[in-house]
Amino acid sequence: MNNIKTVFSIKDLENLSGIKAHTIRIWEKRYQILEPMRTDTNIRLYDTANLQKLLNISFLHEYGYKISKIATYSDNEISDLVKQIISAKNSKNHAINALKMAMMNFDQQLFFNTYDWLAEEKTFREIFISVFLPLLDEIGLLWQTDTITPAHEHFISYLIRQKIILNSEKLQVLNPTKTDKIFVLSLPLNEIHELGLMYLHYEILMAGYKSIYLGESMPVSYLADLKKHFNSIVFVSCLTVKPDREDINAYVREMVNELLEGTNELWFTGRLSSLINQEDFTQKVAVFNSIEDLLVKL
């Protein structure tokens, strides 16, 4: 059965393009930029072609083109103009829109083509920070507003995960060049959002350190076993949805008690890490507002 979403509400278009529904209605009425279908009760519905056109219009509008000018172009002219602009290979917004279309259509070839286009000019760090991270942030909002299903999120997340693994594997065959500390990466119990942590594994390897990736849902007692094998461990964790907000500081306290000895350190990032009360903990507990902030520390 074909479960690809091919019909969208005006709210879906707002969520996917970032253009307010009210603005879309005005543009339709004034410039006839889209051709919605109508239900028997006069509710607007849009097909995939309308979505693609609106994403192109959104791109041109953000690039500085006035909607009155865009409206004078044919669909082919709009598409050609977008292609001309992105030929400089510096348009992250176009890449994000292309990846959204790949997600909506479960089109892995479009994902790979877009990634390959980006990789011609950008490093993997640039692709992840400037394209994948903003895309993942948007996907979280799209999922919350029922614009996409969990299947869409899993599809695109799996493809991004593949790229992280592929780039990390190239580095894992190399011997570490820095031996003053090693990194152990894990997520709390029931925390399954691991793309950020997987990317940090790549960056730590790139920086020349030994990185031990343990992944999701790791009890603190299991982490303590690493102390038998290594000295000067930096334990890194991303807190996205777990532990529960009221349990965050108790979880950090458990990690401090079980893991901090000698020169060991604890590093935290992720949305929930902002709830950590750093004044209650030793200076060996570091909280980073973003992945980019953590990279500065490497």
Side-chain angles (χ1 to χ4, degrees):
M1 181 179 294
N2 186 351
N3 292 319
I4 296 176
K5 188 171 183 177
T6 57
V7 178
F8 305 90
S9 69
I10 195 166
K11 191 65 177 178
D12 289 336
L13 261 61
E14 175 182 301
N15 292 332
L16 286 161
S17 69
I19 299 173
K20 295 294 185 183
H22 175 68
T23 301
I24 295 173
R25 292 189 188 98
I26 292 175
W27 288 359
E28 279 182 18
K29 183 176 181 180
R30 187 174 299 171
Y31 303 109
Q32 295 79 50
I33 62 166
L34 300 178
E35 298 178 1
M37 302 170 283
R38 299 273 185 170
T39 66
D40 294 339
T41 55
N42 207 35
I43 296 175
R44 289 173 171 85
L45 294 176
Y46 302 83
D47 60 15
T48 303
N50 276 303
L51 171 60
Q52 179 68 72
K53 183 176 181 181
L54 185 62
L55 289 174
N56 282 339
I57 290 172
S58 172
F59 171 78
L60 293 176
H61 195 248
E62 290 181 2
Y63 204 78
Y65 283 79
K66 293 183 178 180
I67 187 62
S68 57
K69 182 66 174 177
I70 299 172
T72 65
Y73 300 142
S74 68
D75 291 358
N76 287 337
E77 287 173 331
I78 289 174
S79 180
D80 289 343
L81 183 57
V82 169
K83 290 176 183 177
Q84 290 174 23
I85 293 172
I86 66 173
S87 63
K89 295 183 173 60
N90 61 356
S91 174
K92 72 172 185 179
N93 289 339
H94 172 75
I96 291 172
N97 285 341
L99 294 175
K100 284 182 192 174
M101 289 301 300
M103 174 182 67
M104 298 307 298
N105 292 320
F106 296 99
D107 186 345
Q108 65 181 21
Q109 194 58 53
L110 178 56
F111 175 91
F112 292 137
N113 289 344
T114 303
Y115 178 86
D116 290 344
W117 169 71
L118 288 167
E120 289 178 10
E121 295 289 333
K122 295 181 181 295
T123 65
F124 183 62
R125 173 187 284 187
E126 290 170 332
I127 294 172
F128 191 87
I129 297 296
S130 67
V131 178
F132 285 167
L133 276 185
L135 175 67
L136 291 169
D137 286 341
E138 285 198 44
I139 286 173
L141 296 174
L142 293 172
W143 184 82
Q144 291 173 22
T145 56
D146 291 327
T147 304
I148 62 173
T149 67
H152 290 106
E153 181 182 12
H154 282 243
F155 172 79
I156 202 74
S157 295
Y158 171 72
L159 293 175
I160 294 174
R161 180 180 288 107
Q162 281 187 310
K163 291 303 180 184
I164 299 174
I165 292 172
L166 179 64
N167 282 276
S168 298
E169 283 180 344
K170 297 174 183 177
L171 300 173
Q172 285 176 298
V173 299
L174 304 175
N175 291 322
T177 58
K178 299 176 182 177
T179 58
D180 57 306
K181 54 191 172 185
I182 71 159
F183 290 80
V184 173
L185 283 65
S186 67
L187 297 176
L189 288 175
N190 302 314
E191 174 63 83
I192 61 173
H193 295 79
E194 64 174 337
L195 288 182
L197 193 73
M198 292 179 69
Y199 177 71
L200 287 176
H201 175 59
Y202 161 80
E203 285 286 359
I204 291 165
L205 292 170
M206 178 67 79
Y209 290 103
K210 180 179 179 64
S211 179
I212 299 174
Y213 188 85
L214 301 180
E216 61 188 66
S217 207
M218 284 294 298
V220 175
S221 59
Y222 290 6
L223 299 177
D225 289 339
L226 274 294
K227 296 189 299 181
K228 302 174 184 177
H229 304 279
F230 303 101
N231 298 316
S232 297
I233 304 172
V234 179
F235 293 93
V236 182
S237 189
C238 291
L239 312 181
T240 304
V241 298
K242 291 293 180 179
D244 294 335
R245 298 173 71 90
E246 63 271 17
D247 297 327
I248 293 290
N249 285 286
Y251 173 72
V252 175
R253 175 62 62 191
E254 180 184 7
M255 293 191 76
V256 167
N257 293 338
E258 292 285 336
L259 305 177
L260 280 191
E261 62 180 45
T263 56
N264 291 352
E265 300 177 57
L266 300 177
W267 290 8
F268 295 96
T269 189
R271 185 166 62 242
L272 294 181
S273 65
S274 62
L275 299 177
I276 296 174
N277 188 352
Q278 288 183 267
E279 295 180 357
D280 291 346
F281 301 109
T282 169
Q283 291 182 344
K284 292 183 180 180
V285 176
V287 177
F288 302 92
N289 294 326
S290 65
I291 287 177
E292 297 95 315
D293 288 345
L294 191 149
L295 297 183
V296 175
K297 183 77 171 179
L298 287 177

